[in-house]
Amino acid sequence: MMLLQPLLLLGSLLSHSQAARPLMLSTPQHAVASDTNAISQSIKLDPDPFPEEDKTYTKYEHYPPYCSTPQEMEKRAIPPLSDTNIQTQLVHVTALIRHGSRTPFSGAPSYKCWNGYWESLDTGVWNCDLLTYMSPPATTKEKGKEVDEHGNLLDDEPDFLFEKRYDALLSKQTTDGGLMESGNILNGTCQMGQLLARGYEQELSNGKHLRQAYFYDGDKTADEHAAADPRMRLWDLTKDDNSIPSHASQIGDPTKEMFQEPNLKYRADDEQRTLMSGQVLLRGLFGPELAATGDDETAVIKLHTADYTVDVLTPNGKVCPRVEELRNEAYESEEYKSWVQSSIEAKTTKSLMKDEMGIDEVPEVILDCMMTTICTDRNLPDALNDYDGTGGGNFEVVADFAVNNFTFPYKYNGGAYSKLGMGPLWLEIMSNILQIVEANHHPTSSSGMPPPKLALFSGHDTTLMPILATLGEQVWSGKDWSPYASMLQIEIHEVLDNDQRYPSGYAFRLIYNGNVLTSKMDECSAAELCDVQVLVKQVMSFASEYEDVNCATKVQPTGESKMGEMKDVTVNLLSTPGGALTMLALVVFSMALGSVATYFIMRRRLRREYKYADTLTLAELSMSALDDDENDISGDVDRSRIESAVSSGIGLDENTIDENSLI
């Protein structure tokens, strides 16, 4: 049986990156995205998973924190508890991460950076070795496995793998050097927004940070690691029983593997970079335990995700229109208009872009353009090639403006946009925590399982920043962008003595990229631990599903916005299975309905407006009446009916008679 690294359960497919453990296959052992700067003639595979890594972060003397260089990642270790006197026990951790370093999230023409960006092989071509392995789970018939009450397979294992390569459109060669041309959006073998090898290493570091903080492994745990303190151990690998000591209700399941539910709950949105980032982090966290699985057994980690367009790991204005309206209100405020039109920061940035780069307006994606360029050792334009970390160069002037411009709505009006937008995610987070700290009121989850020891949420910068904005005015400045592979932890500690500072019996600690932020929350004074009810009070007032709040907009939609909504509905319909056939059926039905309606309307109009083409005299009308008399009466004719009709003037103009007046 082949030896497999962990596979993540995703719908009916299992997808994973092979670099964590070598597969005993005849295929080359290279399975992650590398970020080379030019298109190669073919996808070159190398036994070294990261052939380019020795060359990374060498082009520039200084890199912004956004890039999360190895040196920067080292600074983000989770600190131990500083108060040695308090008697506590860590019982739960929620970790939220941003994905690691990636490619641009879009392509030309919408992704507008600077002149020549897409024409350059250096910045306009993104080539990756993307080898993702996918496997269909074994069927009950094949494996003889049992199914649960919902018909889901229990402990199903994959029989074989598919190797996915993003190279189907590499079909043409140029005549000036033999370079491949690609029909992909990024002009190479990379997906839009794909995790790169640098991002892989960043998330691997995050996994190691979590392991060093929460896993005790005897002599293998260094004294400086948080897990050296017994109070910080979620898992003690020197013991057979890893149940939480002194806790009244069950957390996790000590009879299950530590990477299995309910010990671990893994959640991500359905984007390649978030899926793989969480996957790699878990490899760094559970690597030795995953490697210990037998050769005839595949370790399976369940992944919970949803359709990206309706997911709630970022504020979703399409699902809840009021979210988008709150964002627009921020940008329409006098505060924003004054800043963007009159501030020195705005004027300096606009002048720089126009005078030195020949761009009339600051591109909306300029921050992403700059960071994906410098963080992957590509060439910045001369006007921006001056980053030194002091805050005075053009690079930092433009970056700071772009950050402030984008993040403005997050804290505007008391963070109303962030609170409504992140309400559903906070509800997911707190559903785990409340089962622990308010066990009498929240004994189990909707699934019937106990709360997890570790809950991992893999999202975006636009996940972490609004989450931070909801925690109080001082927690996040609103001017610092969440770098690649940023990580936020919410630790829940059970207080074992009768410390009056923690009347609920539980405390929490808030950590962001290695920095303890608990004391910056309102009502938390200067302590690193704070009573958990402060957190509950802070977020539960807005932690809610979109369906449970008023998501309706307060202004009537304009014709333009209605057309935009219709466009969105159409795009969403076409993107669903059978959507094209449904759309075709709607079009045909609409045409048929319109045709029938048009027929009856025109028929009625013609009947009303039709007149005799030939003018009939009264004499002719008299003769017609006589000829139609079935008794063929001769002599004097009773003309009263005709005269009555004529004198009444019904349907008549001067010389004609309306056909309908005679019927």
Side-chain angles (χ1 to χ4, degrees), residues 60 62 64 113-115 117 349 352-353 356-357 359 362-363 366-367 369-371 373-374 378-388 393-399:
Y60 297 96
H62 303 280
C113 295
W114 46 77
N115 297 330
Y117 178 91
T349 302
L352 188 156
M353 297 299 291
E356 299 192 38
M357 299 188 66
I359 303 174
V362 181
I366 189 63
L367 181 70
C369 297
M370 295 164 61
M371 295 305 179
T373 298
I374 191 173
R378 286 168 165 79
N379 292 320
L380 288 165
D382 291 340
L384 298 177
N385 189 11
D386 62 355
Y387 179 80
D388 60 6
N394 289 346
F395 184 98
E396 289 176 90
V397 168
V398 175

Side-chain angles (χ1 to χ4, degrees), residues 248 475 486 559 565 578:
V475 172
S486 288
E565 292 176 6

Side-chain angles (χ1 to χ4, degrees), residues 558-569:
T558 63
E560 182 179 351
S561 64
K562 289 180 179 179
M563 290 299 295
E565 292 176 6
M566 293 174 63
K567 178 182 177 181
D568 290 340
V569 170

